[in-house]
Amino acid sequence: HKIFFWLLLNDRINTRALLQRKGFFLQDYTCVMCNLHALETRDHLFFHCQFAQLCWSYICTNWQPAYTGIQEEISNLKQLLSVPYAMEIIILTCWAIWTTRNDHIFQHIQPSIYRCRKKLKEELK
């Protein structure tokens, strides 16, 4: 999880935007998790996507995306969670969003908030 999160912080997770920058051809570079038809960037997928926002609202009911960058989003979440293990919750929530997205793309499993919450709870155990 730490390696995944390091890659996420450094914008090295293979989102569709990163694959496009690397020259990989895909039929569509938009986010598969929402219907906004937005480019699937790291910030969009993990914080601005409708699906991600629902996942974060489960964890932190009063969180609103800042749209100022990943460091600010994480700092805001840490402050709102105000628990000693806030970073672990943030990392595992990002992991749950990522694996739910990958299940949808590679295994054609319909994404749901329930599935994402279940993944998060399993990882927290």
Side-chain angles (χ1 to χ4, degrees):
H1 294 121
K2 289 179 181 180
I3 294 169
F4 160 78
F5 200 66
W6 182 88
L7 291 168
L8 176 70
L9 290 175
N10 290 288
D11 200 13
R12 295 293 179 247
I13 294 293
N14 282 331
T15 60
R16 290 170 178 246
L18 181 67
L19 293 174
Q20 185 180 35
R21 287 194 315 259
K22 288 181 174 182
F24 284 81
F25 173 77
L26 299 175
Q27 289 184 346
D28 189 9
Y29 295 98
T30 61
C31 179
V32 297
M33 301 300 283
C34 68
N35 58 6
L36 296 176
H37 303 291
L39 180 65
E40 186 192 77
T41 64
R42 171 199 61 187
D43 292 356
H44 172 80
L45 179 64
F46 290 99
F47 298 103
H48 306 148
C49 173
Q50 295 166 338
F51 182 82
Q53 288 182 15
L54 289 171
C55 293
W56 289 113
S57 68
Y58 171 71
I59 301 302
C60 188
T61 56
N62 54 345
W63 176 78
Q64 292 294 317
Y67 298 100
T68 55
I70 192 166
Q71 299 295 341
E72 290 79 12
E73 300 289 6
I74 292 168
S75 294
N76 188 19
L77 281 163
K78 279 176 61 175
Q79 184 178 20
L80 290 170
L81 289 169
S82 67
V83 292
Y85 48 90
M87 275 309 297
E88 287 81 359
I89 293 172
I90 293 167
I91 291 168
L92 293 177
T93 303
C94 288
W95 178 254
I97 292 168
W98 180 247
T99 56
T100 301
R101 173 237 188 227
N102 287 344
D103 287 348
H104 178 55
I105 292 173
F106 300 115
Q107 297 177 10
H108 309 291
I109 298 172
Q110 191 63 32
S112 71
I113 299 305
Y114 172 77
R115 185 179 308 283
C116 192
R117 282 189 289 188
K118 184 178 176 186
K119 287 175 175 280
L120 176 61
K121 287 178 183 178
E122 288 172 1
E123 293 294 333
L124 285 170
K125 289 179 184 178

